[in-house]
């Protein structure tokens, strides 16, 4: 059981480029959650997805950010036209059905230069 | 708006001492309160959790105390060890949806 796999671990992008972060949930988990962690801060909820559905995107910025969890393959968090303020650690968590059984990945650290 | 307030921001404890981290919330719909431990460069890992129908839960050296009327809960780490040095986050869940995290406490245990 490989746990929640996130890649890449580190990602450097220039301002204006696109960042694509991937998350493969634990085997048997069909619910995926994305969080953002700024330096010296807690984790902020971004989006909650089930296969092919966005359940709650109340934490997603209105522009440039999107997420998907296709029927096949990993969940993708996409950030278009990145800015310096997007630099953060992005964590994915998965659960078998509810938030009571969260397991987090090791995160992707995005640096925008 | 911070749904879960956590203090202190940082904590230094001598080896063998007791580490205490406090959290408070307002939303009475919260029905599950986990604590997560995070080491540098890693994702948060579930440490211990409690539901509001009990006032205390103990697992090894880690204890959660829960005060439903005051809407407060705390983590106590007994006999703190240098290996406990990490950032600790309290969190709360309502209706099985997403977690709301506190801002974290950076614990340093001095040998």
């Amino acid at each position: 059981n490989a746990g929640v796999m996130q890649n890449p671990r580190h990602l450097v992008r220039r301002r204006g480029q696109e960042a694509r972060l991937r998350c493969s949930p634990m085997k048997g988990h069909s619910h995926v959650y994305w969080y953002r962690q700024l330096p010296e801060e807690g984790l902020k909820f971004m989006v909650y997805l089930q296969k092919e559905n966005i359940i709650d995107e109340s934490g997603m910025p209105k522009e440039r950010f999107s997420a998907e969890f296709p029927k096949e393959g990993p969940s993708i968090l996409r950030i278009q036209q990145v800015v310096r303020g997007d630099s953060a650690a992005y964590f994915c968590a998965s659960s078998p059905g509810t938030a009571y059984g969260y397991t987090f990945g090791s995160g992707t650290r995005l640096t925008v230069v | 708006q911070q749904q879960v307030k956590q203090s202190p921001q940082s904590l230094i404890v001598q080896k063998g001492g007791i580490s205490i981290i406090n959290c408070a919330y307002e939303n009475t719909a919260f029905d599950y309160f986990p604590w997560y431990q995070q080491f540098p460069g890693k994702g948060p890992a579930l440490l211990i959790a409690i539901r509001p129908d009990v006032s205390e839960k103990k697992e090894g050296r880690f204890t959660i105390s829960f005060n439903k009327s005051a809407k407060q809960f705390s983590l106590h780490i007994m006999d703190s060890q240098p290996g406990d040095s990490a950032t600790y986050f309290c969190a709360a869940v309502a209706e099985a949806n997403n977690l709301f995290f506190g801002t974290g406490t950076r614990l340093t245990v001095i040998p």
Side-chain angles (χ1 to χ4, degrees):
Chain A
N1 188 347
V4 178
M5 302 301 292
Q6 288 189 250
N7 65 81
R9 289 296 307 276
H10 300 276
L11 182 62
V12 179
R13 283 288 177 268
R14 295 186 184 279
R15 279 180 295 173
Q17 290 185 319
E18 178 180 283
R20 290 169 63 92
L21 288 61
R22 295 175 182 76
C23 170
S24 296
M26 283 185 69
K27 187 176 181 179
H29 287 192
S30 59
H31 297 241
V32 166
Y33 310 79
W34 286 93
Y35 286 79
R36 176 165 61 178
Q37 185 176 34
L38 294 168
E40 307 301 322
E41 291 189 17
L43 294 99
K44 303 289 189 192
F45 168 76
M46 299 182 74
V47 63
Y48 164 31
L49 310 105
Q50 294 179 29
K51 286 286 188 181
E52 299 184 279
N53 287 303
I54 296 174
I55 307 302
D56 181 354
E57 57 181 347
S58 57
M60 288 278 272
K62 297 291 183 231
E63 298 176 350
R64 301 188 298 108
F65 285 72
S66 63
E68 63 178 6
F69 189 15
K71 186 176 181 181
E72 301 291 337
S75 175
I76 305 288
L77 179 67
R78 178 186 300 173
I79 311 172
Q80 296 177 302
Q81 298 174 337
V82 296
V83 301
R84 288 242 171 94
D86 296 333
S87 296
Y90 292 83
F91 289 95
C92 166
S94 72
S95 82
T98 70
Y100 304 130
Y102 265 43
T103 300
F104 279 88
S106 295
T108 293
R109 279 143 189 87
L110 172 65
T111 303
V112 180
V113 296
Chain B
Q1 181 185 358
Q2 191 69 33
Q3 295 257 11
V4 180
K5 292 182 169 61
Q6 182 172 349
S7 63
Q9 191 172 10
S10 62
L11 182 61
I12 300 174
V13 173
Q14 292 275 0
K15 179 183 175 182
I18 302 174
S19 304
I20 302 174
I21 304 170
N22 300 300
C23 287
Y25 64 97
E26 288 297 326
N27 187 350
T28 55
F30 288 143
D31 60 1
Y32 179 71
F33 300 87
W35 283 87
Y36 284 82
Q37 180 188 56
Q38 185 179 28
F39 292 105
K42 302 291 186 183
L46 179 64
L47 188 62
I48 186 172
I50 197 168
R51 294 191 183 273
D53 53 347
V54 298
S55 61
E56 186 175 282
K57 183 174 181 180
K58 184 176 180 178
E59 289 184 2
R61 296 184 294 110
F62 300 90
T63 300
I64 301 178
S65 297
F66 189 86
N67 186 329
K68 188 174 181 178
S69 60
K71 291 185 280 189
Q72 295 175 347
F73 58 110
S74 60
L75 176 69
H76 292 64
I77 305 175
M78 313 300 286
D79 187 26
S80 298
Q81 299 296 313
D84 297 331
S85 296
T87 300
Y88 292 81
F89 294 95
C90 60
V93 177
E95 300 174 347
N97 287 322
N98 63 75
L99 285 168
F100 292 94
F101 282 90
T103 50
T105 297
R106 180 176 290 180
L107 171 64
T108 303
V109 181
I110 300 172

